[in-house]
Amino acid sequence: MTEYQKLIDELTKNHILKSDELLQLIECNDAEALDYLFSKSRQCRELSYGKDIYIRGLIEISNCCKNDCYYCGIRRSNTNVQRYHLTTEQIRECCRLGYELGFRTFVLQGGEDLYYDDDKLCLLISEIKKEFSDCALTLSLGEKSRESYQRYYDAGADRYLLRHETANEVHYGRLHPDEMSAKNRKQCLYDLKEIGYQVGSGFMVGSPYQTTKLIVEDLLFLKDLQPAMVGIGPFIPHHETPFAAETGGTLEQTLTLIALIRLLLPHALIPATTALGTIASDGRSRGILAGANVIMPNLSPEDVRQKYMIYDNKLSTGAEAAESLNQLKEEMKKIGYQVVVSRGDVIKMKDDA
Ligand code: SAM
């Protein structure tokens, strides 16, 4: 048995490794060892979630943002974005369409848009939860005060997605302007967890200045946070950002990391992200075969999809579009998995430690 296989077996058994061992696996490009890793991560996910694929209807409610993250296409300094925010009635209409299609989770994602104050958001949340009482509602609206998070939770929100982006403060500072900090981002995540949300975190793979050592820090941060969901996807440059000329993250690196995260956090809900589907036509399927179990098709009104361009060439058609769910179902069936009509909540997490 090779050294890699030994490490993979240990990770499969104990769900943790030492930093230098994780580093070795992250850098592994031995095809046989990677096949072995993926077979273990698939088994691990099947023990928790079988062959079910959970779908989430992603509604991109606004591309207005007060932040200026260096990597993001909808950062406030990009004056070439045609800004929009959906009305609450438009958002509810998206949910109605999604419900008909079989979605039982809606994700409201957007820039940090001051148009949606807490009163507006709470009303929207409670209206959606009243109309779709068998559905889960996920928010992904960035950094807010603990009081605001509490209000959204009390109004009925179930889950919150907030990628930590990078666990390392210096690296965080190279990706964001001074007014943002890794410390605050992490505090938001701990607040969300304490309030009772199912919390999702994650990071971009191959972001500028990222090193393998930094990725190890990300994995250990996730292990410590124990989120219910982990979203990772390749960094893809956007031509109107300071990182326009940077190199993007790779499919291979992202797949390896999905598999490692699956083994570190066996019960996590892990999406095969749009970014993964954008850099490779079979990216989503390969993400599932590496241990992911969630897909988030786009349920936004078609006329705004092109305006939510956080990176170049972001997919919003084909199997990425909610209305093409049959195409996605076929793709999943071909690789032996089935899309299910379910809220797809996280299963018990007490064994993950
Ligand atoms: N404003 C919310 C927030 O900060 O969490 C949600 C929207 S934000 C655009 C969603 C995610 O998009 C970020 O967490 C980031 O990881 C990802 N993202 C932004 N720009 C990207 C890029 N150029 N390539 C890949 N992912 C990107």
Side-chain angles (χ1 to χ4, degrees), residues 71-72 110 140 142 162-163 165 185 204 234-236 308 310-311:
Y71 45 83
C72 186
S140 180
L162 186 78
R163 289 181 174 182
E165 312 296 0
R185 194 98 181 157
M204 289 177 290
F235 159 71
I236 304 175
Y308 199 88
I310 54 179
Y311 45 79

Side-chain angles (χ1 to χ4, degrees), residues 233-245:
F235 159 71
I236 304 175
H238 184 287
H239 65 286
E240 269 154 342
T241 62
F243 291 157

